[in-house]
Amino acid sequence: MSKMSKKKLGSLSLLLVLVAVLVAACGGSSKDVDLGTTAKGTYSNEYFGVSLNFPEEWEYQDAETMNQLTSEVGEAIVGNDDKKKKQLDYAQTKTLNLLMASQYPIGGEQTGASVMAIAEKLSMLQGIKTGKDYLEASKKFMVDSQLPYEYKDIVSTTVGGKDFDMMEVTINAGEVTVTQHYYSAILEGYAFNLITTYMDDETKKTTDDVISSVTFK
């Protein structure tokens, strides 16, 4: 990848997340599900029974702002491709943007650690029964996006005492290598995903601490 401007570099982590939720799928409405509560350093959601902590100094966005940001960055992915535009519009109707917390403002000139929680409504037609199934479907779309990702094998892990699958993705942005961990599990008819972003050992420790703080009821 050619050297990116600081502005584009600051938006990279959000763009990477958006690619992952643009998997072509048949889902239902998500309007009646609790989006949870975000406060300084904490997030909780009664519907999924999950809570976690993130650094108190981090910035966080509400669902409305997250929807706006994903729409804006989505245009950079789909361009003039009508098929992908329809996929983006549809994905937004069945995807819950639950949490976006970041070390620096998303889309700004600084790139730092971040954590996101998103959930995608599933249907019987998709054939997705495990977090690994969902991550493999996401990977296929990411490969098709032709961005220069590098992937590690999907592995099984536990988060908050629940079984999850995890995929590690890296992309060389010229000035920095961005690494993301996609944690996925099937909960309450949704693919529930936690996505962490880091750039070095220090920011990796921070995001690892966020994942370690996750608890489920």
Side-chain angles (χ1 to χ4, degrees):
M1 176 182 288
S2 60
K3 190 174 181 179
M4 303 178 73
S5 69
K6 287 185 177 180
K7 182 69 174 179
K8 290 182 178 178
L9 190 59
S11 299
L12 179 60
S13 62
L14 179 58
L15 185 146
L16 285 170
V17 170
L18 187 56
V19 169
V21 302
L22 288 180
V23 180
C26 298
S29 173
S30 302
K31 294 180 180 179
D32 297 330
V33 178
D34 174 28
L35 295 178
T37 302
T38 308
K40 186 177 181 180
T42 66
Y43 173 77
S44 61
N45 186 294
E46 290 294 329
Y47 183 82
F48 293 106
V50 64
S51 62
L52 60 82
N53 300 319
F54 56 87
E56 290 189 0
E57 65 272 19
W58 277 18
E59 297 204 358
Y60 58 89
Q61 311 296 335
D62 59 23
E64 182 179 352
T65 303
M66 289 176 69
N67 290 337
Q68 180 180 350
L69 287 168
T70 53
S71 293
E72 291 174 355
V73 179
E75 295 177 3
I77 298 175
V78 302
N80 295 320
D81 189 319
D82 289 338
K83 181 179 179 180
K84 287 185 178 180
K85 284 181 180 179
K86 290 180 180 179
Q87 289 175 330
L88 173 61
D89 291 341
Y90 185 63
Q92 289 177 330
T93 68
K94 63 191 181 67
T95 300
L96 300 173
N97 291 315
L98 303 174
L99 169 69
M100 179 190 292
S102 57
Q103 185 178 7
Y104 303 115
I106 292 292
E109 295 187 356
Q110 291 177 289
T111 302
S114 67
V115 59
M116 290 187 68
I118 60 175
E120 182 179 346
K121 181 70 173 178
L122 301 177
S123 80
M124 294 176 63
L125 298 178
Q126 287 176 260
I128 292 176
K129 297 181 179 179
T130 66
K132 183 177 181 180
D133 292 340
Y134 184 83
L135 292 174
E136 287 178 340
S138 298
K139 180 181 177 180
K140 182 180 184 303
F141 189 91
M142 295 166 81
V143 169
D144 290 343
S145 74
Q146 298 184 342
L147 289 173
Y149 299 98
E150 293 184 7
Y151 306 90
K152 288 191 175 181
D153 291 339
I154 297 170
V155 298
S156 297
T157 187
T158 59
V159 177
K162 284 191 176 291
D163 292 333
F164 272 72
D165 292 290
M166 191 273 283
M167 177 174 66
E168 181 176 310
V169 176
T170 59
I171 186 167
N172 188 336
E175 296 180 359
V176 66
T177 297
V178 178
T179 302
Q180 290 194 308
H181 288 178
Y182 291 76
Y183 298 86
S184 187
I186 307 305
L187 302 175
E188 304 296 335
Y190 284 78
F192 179 85
N193 305 279
L194 294 167
I195 304 167
T196 61
T197 303
Y198 63 89
M199 294 79 200
D200 51 32
D201 289 343
E202 182 179 356
T203 50
K204 181 180 186 300
K205 182 182 183 306
T206 301
T207 56
D208 285 348
D209 287 345
V210 174
I211 294 300
S212 295
S213 77
V214 174
T215 59
F216 286 92
K217 292 182 177 179

